[in-house]
Amino acid sequence: MKGQVLGVRYEVQQQLGNNAGRRTLLARDLKTQELVVVKLLSFGSDFEWEHLKLFEREAETLKAISHPAIPRYLNYFELDSPNGKGFALVQTYVEGKSLSEQLKEGRSFSEAEVKQIAKALLEILIYLHGRQPPVIHRDIKPSNILLTNRSGNSVGVVYLIDFGSVQTLAATEGGTITVVGTYGYMPPEQFGSRTVPASDLYSLGATLIALLTGTHPADLPHKDGRIQFEQAANLSPAFANWLRWMTQPSLDKHLTSAVEALQALEQPQQRDVAPLVVRQPSDSKISLTKNADSLEILIPAKGLNFNTGLWFLIAFLYYFTLVILLFLVFLGLFSPSIMSWVRDSLALLPELPEWIKGIISIVFTFFAPVFLSVKTTLLFHVAFLRVRLRTNQQKFVLTYDPYNRCFPNLCKVQGLRQAIAHLEYIKRPSTKGRRGKRKSRIIVWIGGTQSFTLGDYGRISEAELDWLAYELSDWLGMPIARE
């Protein structure tokens, strides 16, 4: 088809896409010598009259709107060629790659870049939804968004393309609505043939989630109809809350207008966000106090459990036995009868070489007491160790506080608040009954090389670590990396 001239004016350069009876071509306008995009709808075997209805609506919509981030309408004509009959829609050509193409090429998008894209698209939606009647795109997704002229810290110029699924509210009156859109990006109401301007906001939110996670929204976990994206993306709490608000499955719970969505994105502190997903467990004994100026976390001591209690019992029985034996040996020095009884008792032991008996005596008398003393002291110390983290806008202080007393140089970490570089949450699978495995913990990195952890000491559960990770990320205003 390359080289063919359509409408006596548009010379085909290459095919850009082919879908459901539609072909998208790159052509050159022989009159202006500029590149244009020509969309063809052919009366082929897969043609449906509904396709023509949507095609004509797209042409009418593009003809009626004018926005620098939307391809401009140029021409519309009936096509009668040896290959068949159909219709052609001509638009301006935007040279750039779609977001889906960039994702396939391995590009990742930071939170700051995604926010730039979100603001640009919301500006476009404010224009479309503000038309009379409002124009609803109905198919916002990565493949329908182009980026051009990327430079420096700018993500580039954002374009919204492909209005083949467009709907105006006037078109819904007195007739049926065709269910169109792309699975994973469509809000629930769109499946039920009900579409409102807020439906585009859901699709935008799902698109942004795809950029942040690199995963199609349909492939992410879902709970109660909501996309569970939090574990797959490292986001600040405010932006995560905004995305949750954008993608609420219930129409009466998510944002209602692009203006409201843009205001909420630019001024998160002035909006009423959805209830926090991560809450303190009801049985938690951890104390957390925070306000705009300071944060304090107090993790109580773990206390004695079965394992430490059993160890203390073994240590007690050992020392009790050792004291009794030493006492009997001491009495035997002054009483021949007691010494004779001790020798007779030892004679009942299995016959062992004298050198083995010597080693056993040395271990039992000298090394075992030292080992048991150190081990028992450490277990007792950890059992009654509580952790306190205090931070404000200037500095932070972390103390490991056994028995409410501490030597500052031994169990205190402190520094400037601005030295906290980033947060990391390492979540391990359950290791109940398995020894030697590292526990889940939160790592606070200081300057990228030093760190301290929460979760190694004190009484703290997995659910409490989830909650503390959220609270720290929220107060410090930085995303938390997850492993």
Side-chain angles (χ1 to χ4, degrees), residues 244-255:
R244 280 193 288 268
W245 203 7
M246 289 279 283
T247 54
Q248 280 286 343
S250 178
L251 186 58
D252 60 352
K253 289 184 179 179
H254 63 67
L255 288 150

Side-chain angles (χ1 to χ4, degrees), residues 114-127 129 201 204 208 239 242 245-246 255-271:
V114 170
K115 284 182 178 179
Q116 290 182 45
I117 294 172
K119 290 177 181 179
L121 289 169
L122 285 172
E123 293 284 0
I124 299 172
L125 292 179
I126 289 173
Y127 168 78
H129 297 169
L201 299 182
L204 173 57
L208 300 178
F239 191 49
W242 184 80
W245 203 7
M246 289 279 283
L255 288 150
T256 58
S257 73
V259 173
E260 182 185 8
L262 184 58
Q263 290 175 346
L265 179 61
E266 293 179 334
Q267 300 174 326
Q269 71 278 6
Q270 297 183 12
R271 63 185 177 87

Side-chain angles (χ1 to χ4, degrees), residues 348-472:
L348 297 176
L349 295 175
E351 291 294 332
L352 295 172
E354 291 300 324
W355 66 273
I356 293 181
K357 289 183 180 180
I359 292 176
I360 293 175
S361 299
I362 293 173
V363 171
F364 189 82
T365 308
F366 297 103
F367 290 102
V370 174
F371 172 75
L372 285 171
S373 297
V374 173
K375 180 72 173 180
T376 304
T377 301
L378 288 174
L379 286 175
F380 192 79
H381 178 84
V382 171
F384 293 96
L385 185 76
R386 67 177 187 174
V387 181
R388 184 192 300 271
L389 172 64
R390 296 173 179 156
T391 181
N392 54 33
Q393 299 299 337
Q394 288 75 42
K395 63 179 181 178
F396 70 88
V397 179
L398 177 77
T399 54
Y400 301 96
D401 192 359
Y403 332 117
N404 297 327
R405 296 180 181 178
C406 182
F407 295 102
N409 294 331
L410 296 179
C411 47
K412 178 181 288 188
V413 179
Q414 58 186 345
L416 297 177
R417 155 66 181 85
Q418 63 185 22
I420 298 178
H422 67 278
L423 304 173
E424 184 178 6
Y425 183 17
I426 299 179
K427 197 167 185 177
R428 303 296 191 194
S430 175
T431 57
K432 186 175 182 180
R434 299 170 65 188
R435 300 182 62 185
K437 296 293 183 180
R438 298 295 299 273
K439 298 189 300 181
S440 297
R441 62 197 188 279
I442 300 169
I443 304 177
V444 182
W445 288 93
I446 307 166
T449 56
Q450 297 179 322
S451 65
F452 62 84
T453 63
L454 297 177
D456 288 338
Y457 302 108
R459 181 185 299 171
I460 186 167
S461 66
E462 196 86 20
E464 288 173 321
L465 276 175
D466 290 340
W467 164 61
L468 289 181
Y470 175 86
E471 294 289 354
L472 275 171

